[in-house]
Amino acid sequence: MNTLQAGDKAPEFTLLDANENEVSLKDLLKEHRVLVYFYPKAMTPGCTVQAQNLRDQRDELAKHNVVSVGISPDAPKRLAKFTERDELNFTLLSDEDHKVAEDFGVWGLKKFMGKEYDGIHRISFLVEQDGTISKVFNKFKTKEHHDVVLEHLKG
């Protein structure tokens, strides 16, 4: 697994959102910096806490001109259920073939309860409006992800 680093250009992507509309990184970057966060599976405990905290901190992130975009291998229908159930106020994108996760270097071998399998590693990237990654967040507890991001933004 070769994860992108600060200073790298973020790979351009277009993925389907929960409503099966195409969303592309370049369009998002026209108006905002983007926190691209990869998470393993919608509606699981850790991913739910992470999403709820980003939902609750949306206004704080907006003060730094940052919008959140969550990417997982879930199908759009599952993302729609997650968005509705947790009243999420940001975009979730479906990367079913995990190509975007591979492009960012977050798809790879994982270990859980003695089993090894390929999956998404929970890593986030702050992408500046010029498409450059300015910060990689890869060391955080799920429930503190939003705090780590905001501490960085506040400098």
Side-chain angles (χ1 to χ4, degrees), residues 48-106:
T48 296
V49 167
Q50 186 178 18
Q52 289 172 341
N53 287 332
L54 287 170
R55 172 197 69 198
D56 295 346
Q57 294 302 318
R58 179 182 177 183
D59 292 346
E60 276 304 304
L61 290 165
K63 289 177 186 173
H64 301 278
N65 195 32
V66 174
V67 294
S68 302
V69 173
I71 299 179
S72 74
D74 296 299
K77 278 189 173 74
R78 186 169 175 91
L79 298 179
K81 282 184 191 152
F82 190 25
T83 300
E84 186 177 336
R85 185 193 78 175
D86 292 281
E87 299 176 358
L88 301 180
N89 55 12
F90 58 88
T91 303
L92 297 179
L93 297 175
S94 171
D95 185 23
E96 288 185 275
D97 63 4
H98 49 81
K99 184 187 176 328
V100 174
E102 288 176 29
D103 290 347
F104 275 81
V106 300

Side-chain angles (χ1 to χ4, degrees), residues 15-23 76-77 79 91-94:
L15 293 170
L16 295 180
D17 68 9
N19 300 313
E20 299 194 28
N21 296 312
E22 288 190 351
V23 175
K77 278 189 173 74
L79 298 179
T91 303
L92 297 179
L93 297 175
S94 171

